[in-house]
Amino acid sequence: MNARDLVSILLTTDGGDRKFRDLVNLHTVDALACLAAGAGATEGSSLLAFYRETGAGDAVSSAAGASAVIRFTEWDAIHVPSGATPGAMAVPAALIFAQDYQAYVRAVAAGHAIGLALSEAVGGVSALPETWPGLFAAPAVAAVSAAIALGLSGEQVAQALVLSMAGSSGRSGRPSGMPSARWLVIGEATLKGIRAALAAKAGIKGDLELLSPSWMKGQAAAAVALEPNHVDPLAITGVGMKPFVSARQGVNAIQAFRHLLEKGVDPNTIDSIEVFLPPVAAPVVSRLLVAEDRLSTIAHLGLQLGIAAFEPARLMDVDRSRPFNAEVMAFAKRVTITADDTLAGKGWPARVVVSEKGQTHEAVWPQTCGEDAQVMLDRKIDSLPATTVPQLQRLQAALAGAGAPAVQEARSLLLKFTDASFPRSEAA
């Protein structure tokens, strides 16, 4: 698919549509709330320090650091079928350049659209673990968002896109240790995308035929040709916020279990829990638990249900540096995960069966009425340090006004949250 054709679809978004603006506003505040949470964590602050020290404190380096930290939290919004998390790149890249509110809305929307298109075409979750779809698409998300925020022409946006994707693969291996290269590569992809937009503005040309069927197929065994039907200007409407710091594969099971707790199930009397998940979701949340490995504590569903039962505030804990109490660790051993082919449908549905004193209790999630996105966002904001909460609440009100001052305020918060003086998290 020629890059010009792809970009012509991306640029059809109306930045003045009220419902669409509200959605971009919601994702903007959500991304900045994740940044605030991650900036206060040990690993997040290390990533930001790296970008400050190597980027001389410029706005582009701040955006790259912000992207790395937003993604590091594992709390940022995700499109389940493609595995794409474009907000981590789109919001910072658009914020540092946009001077006009409608241009900002179009930039964030287009970044989400290209992120989902490329992530789906490369195979989505089927491309894992060989290729990480979100990383593969990350340079393009940043490039397109930055280029549109800069007010570049359609031709220049197309050039920014192909310049950003030249040499990209989405293969990062399985980095270990802390700080982890898993998050650094997101920051570097954002940096590459922003620089591609600046290069296109300077007149540098790339190969507009780069994203060919053969090139796409070379990126992953599950990849297909990039087609117009992959490109939805309204793609952001399909990107869902995460209520907890968790692998998305386990979120519905956590919600189902919390529902049972709210109905009166006593975690102290539970004998066992069996969680049924779609086969594609089960492996991630049933890996061996390594309590010293932050990502393991975020993915392992048994531990997450133990947290929900005995330390519920720590479902919002990005850092995960403190040991979990003995009750949580013991509870994790009572949980088994079963892959269930009958659990079809979007969003990786979960069925949770609790055995308690010879009785069973069951819940399925998502239910017919899921949790409202604004409610999830409010809870996320409320979990942050007390000094941060009113700043994000003021930003929500400013964005509702749909003017350039709101973009400036959001940009100021991004720069503040990436600054060395930002306080450590008090949330958990």
Side-chain angles (χ1 to χ4, degrees):
M1 187 178 183
N2 184 287
R4 288 193 187 95
D5 298 329
L6 195 160
V7 167
S8 68
I9 302 172
L10 296 176
L11 295 178
T12 60
T13 302
D14 178 9
D17 180 82
R18 179 58 184 270
K19 288 184 178 180
F20 199 65
R21 286 184 353 224
D22 289 348
L23 193 55
V24 169
N25 292 348
L26 189 79
H27 281 279
T28 299
V29 179
D30 182 62
L32 291 175
C34 287
L35 174 59
T42 303
E43 189 168 0
S45 61
S46 296
L47 285 163
L48 292 176
F50 168 77
Y51 280 102
R52 282 194 303 272
E53 292 163 7
T54 59
D58 69 331
V60 171
S61 296
S62 293
S67 291
V69 171
I70 292 167
R71 188 73 279 277
F72 148 79
T73 64
E74 289 286 350
W75 208 358
D76 52 325
I78 186 171
H79 178 254
V80 171
S82 69
T85 52
M89 290 69 70
V91 169
L95 275 182
I96 61 168
F97 292 117
Q99 301 301 316
D100 172 78
Y101 175 79
Q102 289 198 12
Y104 172 71
V105 170
R106 291 194 300 271
V108 172
H112 279 74
I114 190 62
L116 266 62
L118 287 169
S119 296
E120 288 185 324
V122 84
V125 293
S126 299
L128 295 168
E130 174 195 21
T131 298
W132 181 5
L135 174 60
F136 171 68
V141 175
V144 167
S145 297
I148 294 175
L150 282 163
L152 302 190
S153 67
E155 175 69 16
Q156 290 172 311
V157 175
Q159 294 290 352
L161 170 60
V162 296
L163 288 170
S164 73
M165 292 304 291
S168 295
S169 72
R171 297 184 181 94
S172 64
R174 291 190 175 276
S176 60
M178 193 281 287
S180 173
R182 179 176 178 84
W183 317 118
L184 177 69
V185 294
I186 292 293
E188 294 299 286
T190 300
L191 194 61
K192 181 184 180 186
I194 291 173
R195 288 184 62 81
L198 294 173
K201 182 182 180 183
I204 297 175
K205 302 289 193 286
D207 178 7
L208 294 177
E209 302 293 339
L210 176 68
L211 308 179
S212 65
S214 61
W215 185 84
M216 284 297 306
K217 194 62 182 174
Q219 307 309 310
V224 298
L226 185 61
E227 301 287 353
N229 65 333
H230 287 122
V231 188
D232 179 7
L234 303 180
I236 192 173
T237 61
V239 178
M241 291 167 54
K242 290 169 71 172
F244 316 114
V245 179
S246 171
R248 180 59 182 82
Q249 291 90 335
V251 164
N252 285 328
I254 298 170
Q255 292 280 49
F257 180 58
R258 289 176 72 246
H259 177 71
L260 291 174
L261 294 177
E262 290 167 0
K263 291 293 185 181
V265 171
D266 182 354
N268 293 291
T269 61
I270 292 174
D271 299 311
S272 63
I273 299 178
E274 188 164 16
V275 179
F276 298 87
L277 293 171
V280 70
V284 171
V285 298
S286 56
R287 293 175 186 158
L288 181 69
L289 174 61
V290 180
E292 299 77 22
D293 180 347
R294 174 180 173 272
L295 275 182
S296 179
T297 70
I298 289 172
H300 192 276
L301 189 52
L303 183 71
Q304 291 283 70
L305 296 188
I307 294 169
F310 296 106
E311 295 187 81
R314 295 197 68 184
L315 289 171
M316 312 288 191
D317 177 12
V318 169
D319 205 351
R320 302 287 171 121
S321 59
R322 289 191 295 107
F324 293 97
N325 68 37
E327 288 177 309
V328 170
M329 300 303 292
F331 193 89
K333 298 176 181 178
R334 296 180 226 159
V335 179
T336 58
I337 312 296
T338 301
D340 187 346
D341 288 317
T342 68
L343 288 172
K346 297 180 179 179
W348 296 326
R351 181 164 66 94
V352 174
V353 180
V354 172
S355 297
E356 176 195 35
K357 296 180 178 180
Q359 295 185 320
T360 60
H361 309 272
E362 181 175 326
V364 176
W365 207 275
Q367 299 181 330
T368 54
C369 182
E371 190 170 26
D372 180 74
Q374 186 61 55
V375 172
M376 284 191 280
L377 178 56
D378 289 343
R379 187 170 63 232
K380 182 179 292 188
I381 292 172
D382 287 342
S383 74
L384 297 172
T387 54
T388 305
V389 173
Q391 297 174 73
L392 289 168
Q393 291 173 337
R394 284 196 299 270
L395 177 61
Q396 289 188 93
L399 286 168
V407 178
Q408 294 165 7
E409 183 167 346
R411 180 165 53 248
S412 294
L413 278 183
L414 182 145
L415 296 174
K416 180 175 182 177
F417 293 160
T418 57
D419 185 78
S421 62
F422 188 71
R424 287 289 303 275
S425 176
E426 304 165 5

